[in-house]
Amino acid sequence: ISGKGGTGKTSLTSSFIQMADNCIACDYDVDASNLPILLKPQKVSSHDFSAGYTAHIDQESCISCGLCAELCRFDAISQEHQVLPLSCEGCGFCEKICPVEAITMYPRSSGHWFEGVFNQKQKLFFADLRPGEENSGKLVAQVKTRAREIADTEQTQLIIADGPPGIGCAVISSMVEVDLIVLVTEPSRSGFHDLQRVYQLMQLRGI
Ligand code: SF4
Ligand code: SF4
């Protein structure tokens, strides 16, 4: 990790992976995974990632009382009683207050995670969070969990992961249950500033 994008994390991680005798590779930058560009894996499986919900209105049951549109604090329901998916935060409040139970919450697909193979037999786990979706930390946890399962099954001792930039949820999730973190920076004021922030985050988490 680095706290800042563009410092060379992916290049360094890729080098470590190529030098390791046997390891499982992961890309925890679920917003913009670049490790697959360097390792060129062949995708062997793709999995939907759902985190959060979207409201749906059954138009046949709706009595057009307008309560949901009036009370949704995210303005996610139109005056025509249609849910605006990009605005819906999935809080479920409208489902609770609809007098005729016309609203149902459905899991929302937020992205995908993938298993790939490179160098003929090495595994790479990576993901793709849809633009604007939240829950990047959960998606990192999903990728990490699967990588650890495979590592246990195949008795692989080493998982090497490329971390995300910043100090947000994805970075915090990346830090969970790791043995070693490598901080990568660049000789610039912003690089040093962001390095200090991510280092403070590590200290807060006792790493
Ligand atoms: S609260 Fe229920 S009945 Fe009223 S407009 Fe919304 S969906 Fe229709
Ligand atoms: S789930 Fe929440 S955000 Fe979405 S439409 Fe209902 S009240 Fe609005």
Side-chain angles (χ1 to χ4, degrees), residues 58-66 81 99-100 102:
D58 176 6
Q59 298 298 332
E60 291 194 1
S61 306
C62 173
I63 56 171
S64 303
C65 69
H81 323 305
V100 292

Side-chain angles (χ1 to χ4, degrees), residues 30-115:
V30 297
D31 286 301
S33 58
N34 285 332
L35 207 47
I37 296 173
L38 292 180
L39 299 181
K40 297 183 172 51
Q42 183 181 359
K43 273 186 197 169
V44 294
S45 65
S46 168
H47 310 266
D48 193 46
F49 170 69
S50 294
Y53 294 84
T54 302
H56 172 76
I57 296 176
D58 176 6
Q59 298 298 332
E60 291 194 1
S61 306
C62 173
I63 56 171
S64 303
C65 69
L67 201 58
C68 54
E70 183 186 336
L71 296 181
C72 172
R73 63 183 299 178
F74 301 101
D75 294 329
I77 299 179
S78 71
Q79 295 305 316
E80 294 76 34
H81 323 305
Q82 299 284 345
V83 176
L84 309 174
L86 291 180
S87 300
C88 177
E89 290 285 322
C91 66
F93 182 66
C94 54
E95 184 187 37
K96 297 277 185 289
I97 52 100
C98 175
V100 292
E101 299 184 355
I103 303 179
T104 309
M105 303 302 296
Y106 285 101
R108 172 165 61 200
S109 173
S110 302
H112 292 85
W113 62 273
F114 310 97
E115 178 179 343

Side-chain angles (χ1 to χ4, degrees), residues 120-171:
Q120 298 185 334
K121 61 180 176 54
Q122 270 186 284
K123 293 200 166 59
L124 168 67
F125 294 91
F126 57 106
D128 183 14
L129 191 67
R130 286 191 207 284
E133 288 290 339
E134 297 176 353
N135 294 304
S136 58
K138 283 186 183 173
L139 185 49
V140 169
Q142 174 69 66
V143 170
K144 183 180 291 194
T145 298
R146 186 59 186 149
R148 291 172 78 109
E149 285 171 357
I150 294 295
D152 284 345
T153 304
E154 299 183 351
Q155 298 192 320
T156 304
Q157 300 294 322
L158 187 61
I159 297 175
I160 299 179
D162 190 18
I167 56 169
C169 297
V171 175

